[in-house]
Every structure is written in C-alpha cells, then in structure tokens.
Amino acid sequence: MREIETIATRIETSAQEIFAMVRAAQRNGETVGLVPTMGALHKGHLSLVDRSVAECDKTVVSIFVNPTQFAPNEDLKSYPRALDRDVSLLQERGCWLVFAPAVEEVYRAGHDTTIDVGSVAKPWEGAARPTHFPGVATVVLKLFLMVPADRAYFGQKDYQQSLVVRQLVADLNVPIEIHVCPIVREPDGLAMSSRNAYLSAEERSQACLLWQSLKLAESLYIEGETDVATIKQAMVRLLGSIGDIRVDYIAFLGEGTVRPVETIAGPTIVAIAAHVGRTRLIDNHRIG
Ligand code: AMP
C-alpha cells in the first residue's frame, strides 16, 4: 500500500529532467503511469489519475495546452488554465510528478515535424477539425518520448482520439500500454469537460440534452429499434426541441472503429458533436 499522503507532488518543466526521473524510477523496478491532460482538471481527469495511481508505482500527469491541436479560429487563448489548483488536486490524489512544460520546451524553434495518423483520424472530429488530430498525435508522441512511461491513460470521452493514439502506438512501435477509462458525468449526465466552463447558465441546462439524446438512442434500441436512420431522427428531434443546440454530427460506429453502421447488430458507439451556443461539445455512449 503506497503512502499517498506523504508524497509531495513536484512540478517539472524540463523534458530532460523528467525523462531522467522516469528512467531512474524504472531502473529502480518501479512502473510509471502517464496521464496526458490540458489542465483545468475535473473529476474526469482525476478518474484517470486514480486509475494510474492504483495500477502504477508512480504517476506523472502532464499539463500542457497544446497549441498545435487548436485551429486559428479556436479557443487556444481562452482555454481555462488553473495550474496551482490542478497541482493541489493532484497532490491529494498521490500524483508523483506534474510535467508542465512551456510551449518552447515542447516545440523548439524550427520544429517542423507533424504526425499524420491515417484513416482513423480523417472522419468525424478529423473532418470537423482538420488540424486537430495531427496536433494531438504529434504532441502525444512527443510526450511519450519525453515521459517514457510504461502505461498511459486516456478517456473514452474522446473516443476517436483514443483510436488515433492506439493506431499511432501500434504503427510506430511505441513501447507504452494504452488504457482507456470510462466517461465521468455530471449528475444530470453532461460529460465532464474543461469546456463546460464556457457555458452560460441557460446553455448549461440545455447541454444535458446531448446525454439525453444518447440515452434515447439506447432506449429505442432496447425497445427493439435497430435502424440507425430512425434512431438518429428521434435524436435530432429531441435536440431541436429546445434552445440553441446545433448538431455537427451524430454517428453510429462499430465499436473500436470509426466506420458508420446502418443497422445496430453488435456493440456500437453512438458519437455526437454539437454546438451549444458558441461552445462545441462532444460525447458518446456504447449500446448494443
Ligand atoms: P483534455 O484535458 O481535455 O485533453 O483531457 C485529458 C484526458 O482526460 C483525455 O484522455 C480525455 O479523454 C480525458 N477526459 C476528459 N473528460 C473526461 C471525462 N468526462 N471522463 C473521462 N475522461 C475524460
């Protein structure tokens, strides 16, 4: 049993230093878990940290708002940042190291390499945000090289991202085990997200319709409906019923893939992206 209370979480900003510390722990026979985040931590992030702390001897949480995964018109500047609060939450959870590098530490002057993951990164989020997954894949690989952990923890909330990371790790022989953890939700079902902070009180109360639409899909399926077009129609009707929700896509995907299905015949991920006011939210739910 590790003595969580006695561990003082240390903040490290140097890639060289963190690499050396992780390697030293591993030489000592300890396993290291990595939880990559952009900070402004909530219970969804902390569930990944708890998993890593439970499964690994030492846990590193990276906090880095990665500029290359934001398009020029997106919210890089306004993205919530709360390093002090994040570190004290991580201290309570028994995190060993917080890796919080400056942008220049990750992207040195002259940086000119981008990782282009293939077909799994192209539709859905990839189509809506064409520069997003190249930015994610590049920073994830860089984090894996700077923090050579044994395991890394990601959230099912970003379903397609988890597939992109798995593809990257398999294709480039990255020696790290990927673990994907369940979505943590607010009491009304809204998936926790740092971007929920952008919602006005009225938008926040409408945002739970995303979850309600996913639950509607599930209950229609349980009642015997397997036709995706019929279920989608009902979801769109519900989402259009009140407020200011603009659906970007609703996709029914074979589990573990980004391929759409027309009939639910097995485990299926229902993925949704929608704007609530000016905030773009994503969510998903497994049915079937
Ligand atoms: P982010 O800080 O948004 O880049 O997220 C960091 C990690 O936390 C990613 O692997 C996300 O999928 C995961 N994550 C974000 N929100 C949730 C949530 N509500 N439940 C579980 N994991 C989450």
Side-chain angles (χ1 to χ4, degrees):
M1 173 85 184
R2 276 183 293 284
E3 291 173 40
I4 287 174
E5 305 75 31
T6 62
I7 297 171
T9 304
R10 173 170 154 181
I11 306 180
E12 191 48 73
T13 56
S14 151
Q16 234 179 344
E17 282 291 318
I18 197 136
F19 182 90
M21 291 180 77
V22 170
R23 279 285 186 252
Q26 289 165 330
R27 272 197 306 276
N28 226 5
E30 293 175 304
T31 55
V32 177
L34 170 65
V35 182
T37 81
M38 297 206 297
L41 301 181
H42 50 66
K43 287 183 189 150
H45 297 116
L46 296 176
S47 72
L48 311 188
V49 176
D50 289 346
R51 225 352 237 283
S52 175
V53 169
E55 295 179 356
C56 304
D57 295 310
K58 293 201 147 125
T59 292
V60 179
V61 175
S62 63
I63 296 182
F64 181 63
V65 183
N66 173 39
T68 64
Q69 71 190 69
F70 290 79
N73 61 332
E74 292 182 347
D75 55 340
L76 173 62
K77 277 211 180 113
S78 57
Y79 196 85
R81 288 159 171 90
L83 187 61
D84 291 346
R85 183 179 158 274
D86 289 348
V87 172
S88 66
L89 288 171
L90 292 171
Q91 165 94 42
E92 286 167 18
R93 307 307 257 230
C95 164
W96 173 49
L97 282 175
V98 173
F99 181 44
V103 172
E104 302 72 38
E105 182 72 3
V106 178
Y107 297 104
R108 292 177 181 278
H111 180 277
D112 195 21
T113 299
T114 300
I115 303 297
D116 179 16
V117 174
S119 55
V120 74
K122 302 302 182 242
W124 316 117
E125 286 305 287
R129 306 175 69 194
T131 58
H132 179 64
F133 285 133
V136 168
T138 303
V139 82
V140 166
L141 182 59
K142 285 166 77 66
L143 285 170
F144 288 171
L145 292 168
M146 292 183 281
V147 185
D150 301 281
R151 295 159 167 243
Y153 295 83
F154 291 85
Q156 172 78 10
K157 157 93 177 3
D158 296 278
Y159 168 71
Q160 192 177 1
Q161 171 176 281
S162 72
L163 300 183
V164 168
V165 170
R166 284 191 191 283
Q167 184 82 40
L168 164 82
V169 163
D171 289 354
L172 300 182
N173 307 89
V174 184
I176 192 160
E177 252 178 55
I178 303 301
H179 295 265
V180 178
C181 308
I183 301 175
V184 177
R185 300 181 177 282
E186 300 285 357
D188 69 353
L190 177 65
M192 291 198 178
S193 164
S194 308
R195 290 194 167 100
N196 292 349
Y198 298 151
L199 300 169
S200 69
E202 195 184 339
E203 288 164 351
R204 172 63 190 82
S205 68
Q206 293 167 4
C208 66
L209 273 185
L210 267 68
W211 171 237
Q212 285 172 19
S213 75
L214 294 171
K215 291 294 284 178
L216 174 65
E218 181 173 44
S219 49
L220 290 173
Y221 170 74
I222 288 169
E223 284 163 20
E225 184 59 70
T226 58
D227 179 54
V228 165
T230 308
I231 300 178
K232 252 192 216 177
Q233 242 173 28
M235 292 172 75
V236 168
R237 240 192 333 266
L238 174 66
L239 289 161
S241 63
I242 40 168
D244 186 16
I245 297 183
R246 188 160 51 83
V247 175
D248 203 341
Y249 62 78
I250 295 174
F252 285 63
L253 311 171
E255 188 177 30
T257 79
V258 290
R259 282 191 297 278
V261 296
E262 286 174 13
T263 307
I264 303 173
T268 303
I269 302 295
V270 189
I272 181 166
H275 286 87
V276 181
R278 291 158 62 112
T279 305
R280 186 172 184 278
L281 300 177
I282 60 171
D283 198 355
N284 69 82
H285 188 47
R286 179 184 185 277
I287 64 175

PDB file of all heavy atoms in Angstrom, residues 266-283:
ATOM      1  N   GLY A 266     -24.440  -5.130 -33.217  1.00  0.00           N
ATOM      2  CA  GLY A 266     -23.422  -5.516 -32.228  1.00  0.00           C
ATOM      3  C   GLY A 266     -23.010  -4.272 -31.487  1.00  0.00           C
ATOM      4  O   GLY A 266     -23.627  -3.211 -31.648  1.00  0.00           O
ATOM      5  N   PRO A 267     -21.951  -4.368 -30.665  1.00  0.00           N
ATOM      6  CA  PRO A 267     -21.503  -3.206 -29.898  1.00  0.00           C
ATOM      7  C   PRO A 267     -21.267  -1.991 -30.804  1.00  0.00           C
ATOM      8  O   PRO A 267     -20.528  -2.078 -31.789  1.00  0.00           O
ATOM      9  CB  PRO A 267     -20.204  -3.687 -29.258  1.00  0.00           C
ATOM     10  CG  PRO A 267     -20.340  -5.173 -29.201  1.00  0.00           C
ATOM     11  CD  PRO A 267     -21.158  -5.564 -30.394  1.00  0.00           C
ATOM     12  N   THR A 268     -21.933  -0.904 -30.468  1.00  0.00           N
ATOM     13  CA  THR A 268     -21.941   0.289 -31.324  1.00  0.00           C
ATOM     14  C   THR A 268     -21.681   1.518 -30.459  1.00  0.00           C
ATOM     15  O   THR A 268     -22.245   1.647 -29.367  1.00  0.00           O
ATOM     16  CB  THR A 268     -23.337   0.423 -31.982  1.00  0.00           C
ATOM     17  OG1 THR A 268     -23.600  -0.790 -32.712  1.00  0.00           O
ATOM     18  CG2 THR A 268     -23.416   1.608 -32.930  1.00  0.00           C
ATOM     19  N   ILE A 269     -20.841   2.409 -30.941  1.00  0.00           N
ATOM     20  CA  ILE A 269     -20.604   3.678 -30.244  1.00  0.00           C
ATOM     21  C   ILE A 269     -21.455   4.751 -30.923  1.00  0.00           C
ATOM     22  O   ILE A 269     -21.319   4.990 -32.123  1.00  0.00           O
ATOM     23  CB  ILE A 269     -19.117   4.088 -30.310  1.00  0.00           C
ATOM     24  CG1 ILE A 269     -18.203   3.013 -29.702  1.00  0.00           C
ATOM     25  CG2 ILE A 269     -18.903   5.447 -29.624  1.00  0.00           C
ATOM     26  CD1 ILE A 269     -18.373   2.773 -28.220  1.00  0.00           C
ATOM     27  N   VAL A 270     -22.336   5.364 -30.154  1.00  0.00           N
ATOM     28  CA  VAL A 270     -23.099   6.499 -30.670  1.00  0.00           C
ATOM     29  C   VAL A 270     -22.316   7.745 -30.277  1.00  0.00           C
ATOM     30  O   VAL A 270     -22.133   8.027 -29.089  1.00  0.00           O
ATOM     31  CB  VAL A 270     -24.513   6.557 -30.069  1.00  0.00           C
ATOM     32  CG1 VAL A 270     -25.339   7.619 -30.789  1.00  0.00           C
ATOM     33  CG2 VAL A 270     -25.192   5.203 -30.144  1.00  0.00           C
ATOM     34  N   ALA A 271     -21.813   8.458 -31.282  1.00  0.00           N
ATOM     35  CA  ALA A 271     -20.973   9.634 -31.017  1.00  0.00           C
ATOM     36  C   ALA A 271     -21.708  10.875 -31.498  1.00  0.00           C
ATOM     37  O   ALA A 271     -22.359  10.854 -32.544  1.00  0.00           O
ATOM     38  CB  ALA A 271     -19.636   9.501 -31.740  1.00  0.00           C
ATOM     39  N   ILE A 272     -21.584  11.932 -30.717  1.00  0.00           N
ATOM     40  CA  ILE A 272     -22.272  13.171 -31.081  1.00  0.00           C
ATOM     41  C   ILE A 272     -21.321  14.349 -30.885  1.00  0.00           C
ATOM     42  O   ILE A 272     -20.521  14.367 -29.942  1.00  0.00           O
ATOM     43  CB  ILE A 272     -23.563  13.330 -30.241  1.00  0.00           C
ATOM     44  CG1 ILE A 272     -24.302  14.619 -30.632  1.00  0.00           C
ATOM     45  CG2 ILE A 272     -23.314  13.331 -28.752  1.00  0.00           C
ATOM     46  CD1 ILE A 272     -25.724  14.659 -30.100  1.00  0.00           C
ATOM     47  N   ALA A 273     -21.428  15.309 -31.790  1.00  0.00           N
ATOM     48  CA  ALA A 273     -20.741  16.598 -31.621  1.00  0.00           C
ATOM     49  C   ALA A 273     -21.783  17.669 -31.886  1.00  0.00           C
ATOM     50  O   ALA A 273     -22.526  17.582 -32.874  1.00  0.00           O
ATOM     51  CB  ALA A 273     -19.581  16.738 -32.597  1.00  0.00           C
ATOM     52  N   ALA A 274     -21.858  18.655 -31.015  1.00  0.00           N
ATOM     53  CA  ALA A 274     -22.875  19.699 -31.191  1.00  0.00           C
ATOM     54  C   ALA A 274     -22.389  21.001 -30.581  1.00  0.00           C
ATOM     55  O   ALA A 274     -21.609  21.004 -29.622  1.00  0.00           O
ATOM     56  CB  ALA A 274     -24.187  19.267 -30.534  1.00  0.00           C
ATOM     57  N   HIS A 275     -22.845  22.090 -31.164  1.00  0.00           N
ATOM     58  CA  HIS A 275     -22.597  23.400 -30.577  1.00  0.00           C
ATOM     59  C   HIS A 275     -23.747  23.748 -29.658  1.00  0.00           C
ATOM     60  O   HIS A 275     -24.915  23.649 -30.050  1.00  0.00           O
ATOM     61  CB  HIS A 275     -22.496  24.478 -31.660  1.00  0.00           C
ATOM     62  CG  HIS A 275     -21.216  24.427 -32.421  1.00  0.00           C
ATOM     63  ND1 HIS A 275     -21.023  23.641 -33.533  1.00  0.00           N
ATOM     64  CD2 HIS A 275     -20.041  25.078 -32.209  1.00  0.00           C
ATOM     65  CE1 HIS A 275     -19.789  23.811 -33.972  1.00  0.00           C
ATOM     66  NE2 HIS A 275     -19.172  24.661 -33.194  1.00  0.00           N
ATOM     67  N   VAL A 276     -23.428  24.122 -28.433  1.00  0.00           N
ATOM     68  CA  VAL A 276     -24.437  24.663 -27.519  1.00  0.00           C
ATOM     69  C   VAL A 276     -24.051  26.128 -27.371  1.00  0.00           C
ATOM     70  O   VAL A 276     -23.026  26.449 -26.759  1.00  0.00           O
ATOM     71  CB  VAL A 276     -24.415  23.932 -26.168  1.00  0.00           C
ATOM     72  CG1 VAL A 276     -25.491  24.497 -25.245  1.00  0.00           C
ATOM     73  CG2 VAL A 276     -24.619  22.433 -26.374  1.00  0.00           C
ATOM     74  N   GLY A 277     -24.846  27.002 -27.978  1.00  0.00           N
ATOM     75  CA  GLY A 277     -24.393  28.386 -28.099  1.00  0.00           C
ATOM     76  C   GLY A 277     -23.111  28.385 -28.920  1.00  0.00           C
ATOM     77  O   GLY A 277     -23.045  27.783 -29.993  1.00  0.00           O
ATOM     78  N   ARG A 278     -22.052  28.972 -28.374  1.00  0.00           N
ATOM     79  CA  ARG A 278     -20.781  29.031 -29.115  1.00  0.00           C
ATOM     80  C   ARG A 278     -19.807  27.931 -28.714  1.00  0.00           C
ATOM     81  O   ARG A 278     -18.674  27.891 -29.185  1.00  0.00           O
ATOM     82  CB  ARG A 278     -20.124  30.398 -28.864  1.00  0.00           C
ATOM     83  CG  ARG A 278     -20.885  31.546 -29.511  1.00  0.00           C
ATOM     84  CD  ARG A 278     -20.538  32.854 -28.828  1.00  0.00           C
ATOM     85  NE  ARG A 278     -19.119  33.145 -28.985  1.00  0.00           N
ATOM     86  CZ  ARG A 278     -18.651  34.149 -29.721  1.00  0.00           C
ATOM     87  NH1 ARG A 278     -19.477  34.940 -30.339  1.00  0.00           N
ATOM     88  NH2 ARG A 278     -17.367  34.353 -29.813  1.00  0.00           N
ATOM     89  N   THR A 279     -20.242  27.046 -27.809  1.00  0.00           N
ATOM     90  CA  THR A 279     -19.333  26.022 -27.287  1.00  0.00           C
ATOM     91  C   THR A 279     -19.574  24.692 -27.990  1.00  0.00           C
ATOM     92  O   THR A 279     -20.702  24.207 -28.038  1.00  0.00           O
ATOM     93  CB  THR A 279     -19.547  25.852 -25.772  1.00  0.00           C
ATOM     94  OG1 THR A 279     -19.402  27.129 -25.152  1.00  0.00           O
ATOM     95  CG2 THR A 279     -18.551  24.880 -25.178  1.00  0.00           C
ATOM     96  N   ARG A 280     -18.497  24.102 -28.511  1.00  0.00           N
ATOM     97  CA  ARG A 280     -18.639  22.816 -29.193  1.00  0.00           C
ATOM     98  C   ARG A 280     -18.343  21.694 -28.196  1.00  0.00           C
ATOM     99  O   ARG A 280     -17.280  21.652 -27.580  1.00  0.00           O
ATOM    100  CB  ARG A 280     -17.665  22.743 -30.369  1.00  0.00           C
ATOM    101  CG  ARG A 280     -17.839  21.511 -31.234  1.00  0.00           C
ATOM    102  CD  ARG A 280     -16.971  21.636 -32.490  1.00  0.00           C
ATOM    103  NE  ARG A 280     -17.178  20.509 -33.401  1.00  0.00           N
ATOM    104  CZ  ARG A 280     -16.591  19.329 -33.261  1.00  0.00           C
ATOM    105  NH1 ARG A 280     -15.779  19.105 -32.258  1.00  0.00           N
ATOM    106  NH2 ARG A 280     -16.828  18.357 -34.136  1.00  0.00           N
ATOM    107  N   LEU A 281     -19.329  20.799 -28.042  1.00  0.00           N
ATOM    108  CA  LEU A 281     -19.186  19.697 -27.090  1.00  0.00           C
ATOM    109  C   LEU A 281     -19.231  18.368 -27.838  1.00  0.00           C
ATOM    110  O   LEU A 281     -19.904  18.252 -28.870  1.00  0.00           O
ATOM    111  CB  LEU A 281     -20.335  19.731 -26.069  1.00  0.00           C
ATOM    112  CG  LEU A 281     -20.463  21.003 -25.217  1.00  0.00           C
ATOM    113  CD1 LEU A 281     -21.695  20.915 -24.311  1.00  0.00           C
ATOM    114  CD2 LEU A 281     -19.203  21.234 -24.369  1.00  0.00           C
ATOM    115  N   ILE A 282     -18.523  17.367 -27.300  1.00  0.00           N
ATOM    116  CA  ILE A 282     -18.632  16.019 -27.855  1.00  0.00           C
ATOM    117  C   ILE A 282     -18.976  15.051 -26.729  1.00  0.00           C
ATOM    118  O   ILE A 282     -18.672  15.302 -25.558  1.00  0.00           O
ATOM    119  CB  ILE A 282     -17.347  15.546 -28.585  1.00  0.00           C
ATOM    120  CG1 ILE A 282     -16.136  15.535 -27.635  1.00  0.00           C
ATOM    121  CG2 ILE A 282     -17.065  16.389 -29.799  1.00  0.00           C
ATOM    122  CD1 ILE A 282     -14.900  14.881 -28.243  1.00  0.00           C
ATOM    123  N   ASP A 283     -19.616  13.951 -27.117  1.00  0.00           N
ATOM    124  CA  ASP A 283     -19.970  12.927 -26.143  1.00  0.00           C
ATOM    125  C   ASP A 283     -20.182  11.626 -26.912  1.00  0.00           C
ATOM    126  O   ASP A 283     -20.292  11.637 -28.148  1.00  0.00           O
ATOM    127  CB  ASP A 283     -21.260  13.333 -25.386  1.00  0.00           C
ATOM    128  CG  ASP A 283     -21.455  12.550 -24.082  1.00  0.00           C
ATOM    129  OD1 ASP A 283     -20.648  11.633 -23.803  1.00  0.00           O
ATOM    130  OD2 ASP A 283     -22.423  12.847 -23.368  1.00  0.00           O
TER     131      ASP A 283
END
